[in-house]
Amino acid sequence: MTLTSGTVVTYPSGAVSSRGTVVHVADAGEGRSAVVLDRTAFHPVDTAWPDQPADRGTLRVGAGELAVVDAVVGATQGDGLLLGPDVPVRTGTEGWTFVVAHIVEDGAAIAAGDTVEVTVDAGYRAALSAGHTACHLASLALDAALAGAWRKQVQTDALGAPAFDALAIQESRILPDGSRDVYRIGKSLRRKGFDPEALADLADLAARISAQLAEWIAAGGAVRIEREGDTLADRRAWVCELPADEARIPCGGTHLASLRELAAATVAFTSTPVEGGLELVMTTTAERA
C-alpha cells in the first residue's frame, strides 16, 4: 500500500465532474474493483452515518467508460485498504488515511497512473442535495416546534432550541427530493425531560413545522459548505442563512446553494408503539423551484 494522502473531494463546492489520477486499485469482492483517485467529484456513502446515498456516474479512461456501481469510504493505516462497513473507525480518525473508493464491476482496464474523467449524474445529485437541505431545515423546525415540551435543560441545536432531533434520532436517510428520519421516544428521552404528550397531535405538529419551512424558504437564504480542508477526512459544515440567525450543522453531504432553489418543503409523521416507548417517523418532501 502506498496511500499516504486522502482523496481531495470537490463535491462540497457542487462539482459534478472532475479529472483525477488513479493511485490504487483494490479487490472489492464479487469480481468488483475499488478504484481510488487522487481527487474526485464523487460523493461516497459514509460508513458511520450512511444518511446520503452515493452519487451515480461513470469513470472514463481513454476511450473506455466504467459505470460506478457504488462509492464508499476506504481507509488504511498502510497495510491494506478497508472498504465501507469494514472500516472500523470514523472518517477523520488520527493515524488513518481516508479515500473515496469508486466501485466498478471490472477494473481490469484501469491501473495506477491512469488519468480518469469522473462524471456524476447531475440530476440525481440535485435531487439528493435538495433532500439533504430540506432534511436539515426540517430538523431545525422540528426542534423549534417541540421547544416547549422540555422540563429540563438539554443540549441545543444550531438555532438555540432544545435539540430533540439530535437527542432522539435513530436513523436518517436522504432521499431524492426528501428524507426519512426515525426517532425513538423512550425512557432515556423522558429522563432528559421530554414530555411525549407534545406528540399527541401529529397533524398539528406537521402543520406548524411546514409553516415554518414555508417562511424560511420564502426568505431565500444562501446555503454554503464550510470546510477545514479539501480532503475527504476534513471536517465540513452546512451553513444556511435564515431570517433570525445563521444555522451551522456539521455535515459531509451535498446541498443546494440557496433556499431559492426550493419551491416548498413539507413534513408528515407516523408513529408506532414500541417496547418502552414510541417510534416516530418524519418524512420530509421537498419541491424544487
Side-chain angles (χ1 to χ4, degrees):
M1 290 290 296
T2 57
L3 290 175
T4 57
S5 299
T7 306
V8 172
V9 292
T10 58
Y11 58 79
S13 64
V16 291
S17 64
S18 60
R19 173 180 289 187
T21 301
V22 179
V23 295
H24 188 68
V25 180
D27 180 8
E30 299 181 350
R32 294 178 171 181
S33 299
V35 179
V36 179
L37 309 176
D38 62 344
R39 74 168 47 229
T40 187
F42 229 92
H43 176 270
V45 63
D46 186 79
T47 302
W49 189 247
D51 57 343
Q52 181 169 333
D55 279 332
R56 297 172 179 170
T58 59
L59 306 181
R60 177 170 289 279
V61 187
E65 187 173 87
L66 297 171
V68 179
V69 297
D70 199 2
V72 300
V73 173
T76 181
Q77 288 183 301
D79 56 355
L81 182 65
L82 301 175
L83 300 172
D86 292 333
V87 176
V89 294
R90 284 186 172 272
T91 304
T93 299
E94 189 174 351
W96 291 75
T97 298
F98 295 89
V99 298
V100 176
H102 309 76
I103 309 301
V104 298
E105 291 290 0
D106 183 3
I110 195 167
D114 287 347
T115 297
V116 173
E117 300 285 345
V118 176
T119 302
V120 172
D121 183 329
Y124 184 62
R125 163 76 71 76
L128 291 177
S129 294
H132 210 151
T133 294
C135 179
H136 283 339
L137 290 176
S139 73
L140 293 171
L142 173 62
D143 287 350
L146 294 175
W150 296 89
R151 296 187 295 268
K152 299 178 183 178
Q153 287 191 337
V154 293
Q155 73 182 68
T156 55
D157 68 12
L159 296 178
F164 173 87
D165 177 82
L167 292 168
I169 192 78
Q170 296 296 301
E171 178 184 284
S172 181
R173 290 292 182 268
I174 305 303
L175 310 171
D177 294 312
S179 63
R180 181 180 184 272
D181 294 283
V182 181
Y183 302 96
R184 170 75 180 227
I185 294 85
K187 292 180 180 179
S188 175
L189 201 66
R190 293 195 296 271
R191 281 197 298 267
K192 288 182 172 68
F194 182 75
D195 182 3
E197 284 300 312
L199 304 174
D201 190 340
L202 292 179
D204 176 70
L205 180 62
R208 289 188 286 126
I209 292 171
S210 296
Q212 179 65 83
L213 293 175
E215 179 183 327
W216 284 343
I217 290 169
V223 177
R224 68 182 186 275
I225 300 297
E226 290 186 351
R227 43 188 170 163
E228 295 181 358
D230 294 328
T231 71
L232 177 64
D234 288 313
R235 293 180 180 178
R236 294 181 290 279
W238 172 84
V239 184
C240 181
E241 295 179 5
L242 297 174
D245 203 353
E246 185 177 75
R248 179 177 280 97
I249 296 175
C251 182
T254 67
H255 289 278
L256 303 177
S258 170
L259 297 188
R260 294 184 184 278
E261 296 179 49
L262 290 175
T266 56
V267 301
F269 290 99
T270 59
S271 64
T272 305
V274 295
E275 184 177 354
L278 183 75
E279 182 180 87
L280 179 71
V281 176
M282 179 172 72
T283 302
T284 303
T285 301
E287 181 182 339
R288 280 177 279 161

Coordinates of all heavy atoms in Angstrom, one line a residue, residues 1-65:
M1 N 0.8 -1.2 0.0 CA 0.0 0.0 0.0 C 0.9 1.2 0.0 O 1.8 1.3 0.7 CB -0.9 0.0 1.2 CG -2.0 -1.0 1.2 SD -3.3 -0.6 0.0 CE -3.9 0.9 0.6
T2 N 0.5 2.2 -0.8 CA 1.2 3.5 -0.9 C 0.3 4.7 -0.7 O 0.7 5.8 -1.0 CB 2.0 3.6 -2.3 OG1 1.0 3.5 -3.3 CG2 3.0 2.5 -2.4
L3 N -0.9 4.4 -0.1 CA -1.8 5.5 0.1 C -1.4 6.3 1.3 O -1.7 5.9 2.4 CB -3.2 5.0 0.2 CG -3.9 4.4 -1.1 CD1 -5.2 3.8 -0.7 CD2 -4.0 5.4 -2.1
T4 N -0.9 7.5 1.1 CA -0.4 8.3 2.2 C -1.2 9.6 2.3 O -1.1 10.3 3.3 CB 1.1 8.6 2.2 OG1 1.3 9.2 0.9 CG2 1.9 7.3 2.3
S5 N -2.0 9.9 1.2 CA -2.8 11.1 1.2 C -4.2 10.8 1.0 O -4.5 9.9 0.1 CB -2.3 12.1 0.1 OG -0.9 12.4 0.3
G6 N -5.1 11.5 1.7 CA -6.5 11.3 1.5 C -7.0 11.9 0.2 O -6.4 12.7 -0.4
T7 N -8.1 11.4 -0.3 CA -8.7 11.9 -1.6 C -9.1 13.3 -1.4 O -9.8 13.7 -0.5 CB -9.9 11.0 -2.0 OG1 -9.6 9.7 -2.0 CG2 -10.4 11.5 -3.3
V8 N -8.7 14.2 -2.4 CA -9.3 15.5 -2.5 C -10.7 15.4 -3.1 O -10.8 14.8 -4.1 CB -8.4 16.4 -3.3 CG1 -9.0 17.8 -3.6 CG2 -7.0 16.6 -2.7
V9 N -11.7 16.0 -2.4 CA -13.0 15.9 -2.9 C -13.5 17.3 -3.3 O -13.3 18.3 -2.6 CB -14.0 15.3 -1.8 CG1 -13.6 13.8 -1.6 CG2 -13.9 16.0 -0.5
T10 N -14.2 17.4 -4.4 CA -14.7 18.6 -5.0 C -16.2 18.8 -4.9 O -16.7 19.8 -5.2 CB -14.2 18.8 -6.4 OG1 -14.7 17.7 -7.2 CG2 -12.7 18.9 -6.5
Y11 N -16.9 17.7 -4.5 CA -18.4 17.8 -4.4 C -18.9 18.8 -3.4 O -20.0 19.3 -3.6 CB -19.0 16.4 -4.1 CG -18.5 15.7 -2.9 CD1 -19.0 16.0 -1.6 CD2 -17.6 14.7 -3.0 CE1 -18.6 15.4 -0.5 CE2 -17.2 14.0 -1.8 CZ -17.7 14.4 -0.6 OH -17.3 13.7 0.5
P12 N -18.1 19.1 -2.3 CA -18.7 20.1 -1.4 C -18.9 21.5 -2.1 O -19.8 22.2 -1.6 CB -17.6 20.3 -0.3 CG -16.9 18.9 -0.3 CD -16.9 18.5 -1.8
S13 N -18.2 21.8 -3.1 CA -18.4 23.1 -3.9 C -19.5 22.9 -4.9 O -19.8 23.9 -5.7 CB -17.1 23.6 -4.5 OG -16.7 22.6 -5.5
G14 N -20.1 21.7 -5.1 CA -21.1 21.5 -6.1 C -20.6 20.8 -7.4 O -21.4 20.6 -8.3
A15 N -19.3 20.5 -7.4 CA -18.8 19.9 -8.7 C -19.4 18.6 -9.0 O -19.7 17.7 -8.1 CB -17.3 19.7 -8.5
V16 N -19.7 18.4 -10.3 CA -20.3 17.1 -10.8 C -19.4 16.5 -11.8 O -19.8 15.5 -12.5 CB -21.7 17.3 -11.3 CG1 -22.7 17.6 -10.2 CG2 -21.8 18.4 -12.4
S17 N -18.2 17.0 -12.0 CA -17.2 16.4 -12.9 C -15.8 16.7 -12.4 O -15.7 17.7 -11.7 CB -17.4 16.8 -14.3 OG -17.1 18.2 -14.4
S18 N -14.9 15.9 -12.7 CA -13.5 16.1 -12.2 C -12.6 15.2 -13.0 O -13.0 14.3 -13.7 CB -13.4 15.8 -10.7 OG -13.7 14.4 -10.4
R19 N -11.3 15.6 -12.9 CA -10.2 14.7 -13.5 C -9.3 14.4 -12.4 O -8.9 15.2 -11.6 CB -9.5 15.5 -14.6 CG -8.3 14.8 -15.2 CD -7.6 15.5 -16.3 NE -8.4 15.6 -17.5 CZ -8.0 16.1 -18.6 NH1 -6.8 16.6 -18.7 NH2 -8.7 16.1 -19.7
G20 N -8.9 13.1 -12.4 CA -8.0 12.6 -11.3 C -7.1 11.5 -11.9 O -7.3 11.0 -13.0
T21 N -6.1 11.2 -11.1 CA -5.1 10.1 -11.4 C -5.4 8.9 -10.5 O -5.6 9.1 -9.3 CB -3.7 10.6 -11.2 OG1 -3.5 11.8 -12.0 CG2 -2.7 9.6 -11.5
V22 N -5.4 7.8 -11.0 CA -5.6 6.5 -10.3 C -4.3 6.3 -9.4 O -3.2 6.3 -9.9 CB -5.8 5.3 -11.2 CG1 -5.9 4.0 -10.3 CG2 -7.0 5.5 -12.1
V23 N -4.6 6.2 -8.1 CA -3.5 6.0 -7.1 C -3.5 4.5 -6.6 O -2.5 4.1 -6.1 CB -3.5 7.0 -6.0 CG1 -3.2 8.4 -6.5 CG2 -4.8 6.9 -5.2
H24 N -4.6 3.9 -6.7 CA -4.7 2.5 -6.2 C -5.9 1.8 -6.8 O -7.0 2.4 -7.0 CB -4.8 2.5 -4.7 CG -4.7 1.1 -4.1 ND1 -3.5 0.4 -4.1 CD2 -5.6 0.3 -3.4 CE1 -3.7 -0.8 -3.5 NE2 -4.9 -0.8 -3.1
V25 N -5.8 0.5 -7.1 CA -6.9 -0.3 -7.5 C -6.9 -1.5 -6.6 O -5.9 -2.2 -6.5 CB -6.9 -0.7 -9.0 CG1 -8.1 -1.6 -9.3 CG2 -6.8 0.5 -9.9
A26 N -8.0 -1.8 -5.9 CA -8.1 -2.9 -5.0 C -9.3 -3.9 -5.3 O -10.2 -3.5 -6.0 CB -8.3 -2.4 -3.5
D27 N -9.2 -5.1 -4.8 CA -10.2 -6.0 -5.0 C -11.4 -5.7 -4.0 O -11.2 -5.5 -2.8 CB -9.7 -7.4 -4.7 CG -10.8 -8.5 -4.8 OD1 -11.9 -8.2 -5.3 OD2 -10.5 -9.7 -4.4
A28 N -12.6 -5.5 -4.6 CA -13.7 -5.2 -3.8 C -14.6 -6.4 -3.5 O -15.7 -6.2 -3.0 CB -14.5 -4.0 -4.4
G29 N -14.2 -7.5 -4.0 CA -15.1 -8.7 -3.8 C -16.1 -8.9 -4.9 O -16.5 -7.9 -5.5
E30 N -16.6 -10.1 -5.1 CA -17.6 -10.4 -6.0 C -17.3 -10.0 -7.4 O -18.1 -9.6 -8.2 CB -19.0 -9.8 -5.6 CG -19.5 -10.3 -4.3 CD -20.8 -9.7 -3.9 OE1 -21.2 -8.8 -4.5 OE2 -21.4 -10.2 -2.9
G31 N -16.0 -10.0 -7.8 CA -15.5 -9.6 -9.1 C -15.4 -8.1 -9.3 O -15.0 -7.7 -10.4
R32 N -15.7 -7.4 -8.3 CA -15.6 -5.9 -8.5 C -14.3 -5.3 -8.0 O -13.5 -6.0 -7.3 CB -16.7 -5.3 -7.6 CG -18.1 -5.6 -8.1 CD -19.2 -5.0 -7.2 NE -20.5 -5.1 -7.8 CZ -21.6 -4.7 -7.3 NH1 -21.6 -4.0 -6.1 NH2 -22.8 -4.8 -7.9
S33 N -14.0 -4.1 -8.5 CA -12.8 -3.4 -8.1 C -13.1 -2.1 -7.5 O -14.1 -1.5 -7.8 CB -11.9 -3.2 -9.3 OG -11.5 -4.4 -9.9
A34 N -12.2 -1.7 -6.6 CA -12.3 -0.4 -5.9 C -11.2 0.5 -6.5 O -10.0 0.3 -6.4 CB -12.2 -0.5 -4.4
V35 N -11.6 1.6 -7.2 CA -10.7 2.5 -7.8 C -10.6 3.8 -7.0 O -11.5 4.4 -6.7 CB -11.2 2.9 -9.2 CG1 -10.2 3.8 -9.9 CG2 -11.4 1.6 -10.1
V36 N -9.3 4.1 -6.6 CA -9.0 5.2 -5.8 C -8.3 6.3 -6.6 O -7.3 5.9 -7.3 CB -8.2 4.9 -4.5 CG1 -7.9 6.1 -3.7 CG2 -8.9 3.8 -3.7
L37 N -8.8 7.5 -6.6 CA -8.2 8.6 -7.4 C -7.6 9.6 -6.4 O -8.0 9.7 -5.2 CB -9.3 9.3 -8.3 CG -10.1 8.4 -9.2 CD1 -11.1 9.2 -9.9 CD2 -9.2 7.7 -10.2
D38 N -6.7 10.4 -6.9 CA -6.2 11.5 -6.0 C -7.2 12.6 -5.8 O -7.2 13.2 -4.7 CB -4.9 12.1 -6.6 CG -5.1 12.7 -8.0 OD1 -6.1 12.5 -8.6 OD2 -4.2 13.5 -8.4
R39 N -8.1 12.8 -6.7 CA -9.2 13.7 -6.5 C -10.5 13.3 -7.2 O -10.4 12.6 -8.2 CB -8.8 15.2 -6.9 CG -8.7 15.4 -8.4 CD -8.6 16.9 -8.7 NE -7.6 17.6 -7.8 CZ -7.9 18.7 -7.1 NH1 -9.1 19.3 -7.2 NH2 -6.9 19.3 -6.4
T40 N -11.6 13.7 -6.7 CA -12.9 13.2 -7.3 C -14.0 14.1 -6.9 O -14.0 14.8 -5.9 CB -13.2 11.8 -6.9 OG1 -14.4 11.3 -7.7 CG2 -13.5 11.7 -5.4
A41 N -15.0 14.2 -7.8 CA -16.3 14.9 -7.6 C -17.3 14.0 -7.0 O -18.4 14.4 -6.7 CB -16.8 15.6 -8.8
F42 N -17.0 12.7 -6.9 CA -17.9 11.7 -6.5 C -18.1 11.6 -5.0 O -17.2 11.5 -4.2 CB -17.4 10.3 -6.9 CG -18.5 9.5 -7.7 CD1 -18.5 9.5 -9.0 CD2 -19.3 8.6 -7.0 CE1 -19.5 8.8 -9.7 CE2 -20.3 7.9 -7.6 CZ -20.4 7.9 -9.0
H43 N -19.4 11.7 -4.6 CA -19.7 11.7 -3.1 C -20.0 10.2 -2.7 O -20.8 9.5 -3.3 CB -21.0 12.5 -2.8 CG -21.4 12.4 -1.4 ND1 -22.3 11.4 -1.0 CD2 -21.1 13.1 -0.3 CE1 -22.5 11.5 0.3 NE2 -21.8 12.5 0.8
P44 N -19.2 9.7 -1.7 CA -19.4 8.3 -1.3 C -20.4 8.2 -0.1 O -20.6 9.2 0.6 CB -18.0 7.9 -0.8 CG -17.5 9.2 -0.2 CD -18.1 10.3 -1.0
V45 N -21.0 7.1 0.1 CA -21.8 6.9 1.3 C -20.9 6.7 2.5 O -19.8 6.1 2.4 CB -22.7 5.7 1.1 CG1 -21.9 4.4 1.0 CG2 -23.7 5.6 2.3
D46 N -21.2 7.4 3.6 CA -20.4 7.4 4.8 C -20.7 6.1 5.6 O -21.8 5.7 5.7 CB -20.6 8.6 5.6 CG -19.6 8.7 6.8 OD1 -18.5 9.1 6.6 OD2 -20.1 8.3 7.9
T47 N -19.6 5.5 6.1 CA -19.8 4.2 6.8 C -20.5 4.4 8.2 O -21.4 3.7 8.5 CB -18.5 3.6 7.0 OG1 -17.8 3.3 5.8 CG2 -18.6 2.2 7.7
A48 N -20.0 5.4 8.9 CA -20.6 5.6 10.3 C -22.0 6.2 10.3 O -22.8 5.8 11.2 CB -19.6 6.5 11.1
W49 N -22.3 7.1 9.4 CA -23.7 7.7 9.4 C -24.1 7.7 7.9 O -24.0 8.7 7.2 CB -23.6 9.0 10.0 CG -25.0 9.6 10.2 CD1 -25.5 10.7 9.5 CD2 -26.0 9.2 11.1 NE1 -26.8 11.0 10.0 CE2 -27.1 10.1 10.9 CE3 -26.1 8.2 12.0 CZ2 -28.3 9.9 11.6 CZ3 -27.3 8.0 12.7 CH2 -28.4 8.9 12.5
P50 N -24.6 6.6 7.4 CA -24.9 6.5 6.0 C -26.2 7.1 5.5 O -27.1 6.4 5.0 CB -24.9 4.9 5.7 CG -25.4 4.4 7.1 CD -24.9 5.3 8.1
D51 N -26.3 8.4 5.8 CA -27.6 9.0 5.5 C -27.8 9.3 4.0 O -28.8 9.1 3.5 CB -27.8 10.3 6.4 CG -26.7 11.3 6.2 OD1 -25.6 11.0 5.7 OD2 -26.9 12.5 6.6
Q52 N -26.8 9.9 3.4 CA -26.9 10.2 2.0 C -26.3 9.1 1.1 O -25.1 8.7 1.3 CB -26.2 11.6 1.7 CG -26.4 11.9 0.2 CD -25.9 13.4 -0.1 OE1 -26.0 14.2 0.7 NE2 -25.5 13.6 -1.3
P53 N -27.1 8.6 0.1 CA -26.5 7.6 -0.7 C -25.4 8.1 -1.6 O -25.2 9.3 -1.7 CB -27.7 7.2 -1.6 CG -28.9 7.7 -0.9 CD -28.4 8.9 -0.2
A54 N -24.6 7.2 -2.1 CA -23.5 7.5 -3.0 C -24.1 8.2 -4.3 O -25.2 7.9 -4.7 CB -22.7 6.3 -3.4
D55 N -23.3 9.0 -4.9 CA -23.6 9.5 -6.3 C -23.7 8.4 -7.3 O -23.2 7.3 -7.0 CB -22.5 10.5 -6.7 CG -22.7 11.9 -6.1 OD1 -23.8 12.3 -5.8 OD2 -21.6 12.6 -6.0
R56 N -24.3 8.7 -8.4 CA -24.3 7.8 -9.6 C -23.4 8.5 -10.6 O -23.3 9.7 -10.7 CB -25.7 7.6 -10.1 CG -26.6 6.9 -9.1 CD -28.0 6.9 -9.6 NE -29.0 6.2 -8.7 CZ -30.3 6.2 -8.8 NH1 -30.8 6.9 -9.8 NH2 -31.0 5.6 -7.9
G57 N -22.8 7.6 -11.5 CA -22.0 8.2 -12.5 C -21.0 7.3 -13.2 O -21.1 6.0 -13.0
T58 N -20.0 7.8 -13.8 CA -19.1 7.0 -14.6 C -17.6 7.5 -14.4 O -17.4 8.6 -14.1 CB -19.4 7.0 -16.1 OG1 -19.3 8.4 -16.6 CG2 -20.8 6.5 -16.4
L59 N -16.7 6.5 -14.7 CA -15.3 6.8 -14.9 C -14.9 6.6 -16.3 O -15.2 5.5 -16.9 CB -14.4 6.0 -14.0 CG -14.8 5.9 -12.5 CD1 -13.8 5.0 -11.8 CD2 -14.7 7.3 -11.8
R60 N -14.3 7.6 -17.0 CA -13.8 7.4 -18.3 C -12.3 7.3 -18.3 O -11.6 8.2 -17.8 CB -14.3 8.5 -19.2 CG -13.8 8.4 -20.7 CD -14.4 9.4 -21.6 NE -15.8 9.1 -21.9 CZ -16.2 8.2 -22.7 NH1 -15.3 7.5 -23.5 NH2 -17.5 7.9 -22.9
V61 N -11.8 6.2 -18.9 CA -10.3 6.0 -19.0 C -10.0 5.8 -20.5 O -10.4 4.8 -21.1 CB -9.9 4.8 -18.2 CG1 -8.4 4.7 -18.2 CG2 -10.4 4.8 -16.8
G62 N -9.3 6.8 -21.1 CA -9.1 6.7 -22.5 C -10.4 6.7 -23.3 O -11.2 7.5 -23.1
A63 N -10.6 5.6 -24.1 CA -11.8 5.5 -24.9 C -12.9 4.7 -24.2 O -14.0 4.5 -24.7 CB -11.5 4.9 -26.3
G64 N -12.5 4.1 -23.0 CA -13.4 3.3 -22.3 C -14.2 4.0 -21.2 O -13.7 5.0 -20.7
E65 N -15.3 3.5 -20.8 CA -16.1 4.1 -19.8 C -16.6 3.0 -18.8 O -17.1 1.9 -19.2 CB -17.3 4.8 -20.3 CG -18.1 5.6 -19.3 CD -19.2 6.5 -20.0 OE1 -20.3 6.0 -20.2 OE2 -18.9 7.7 -20.3

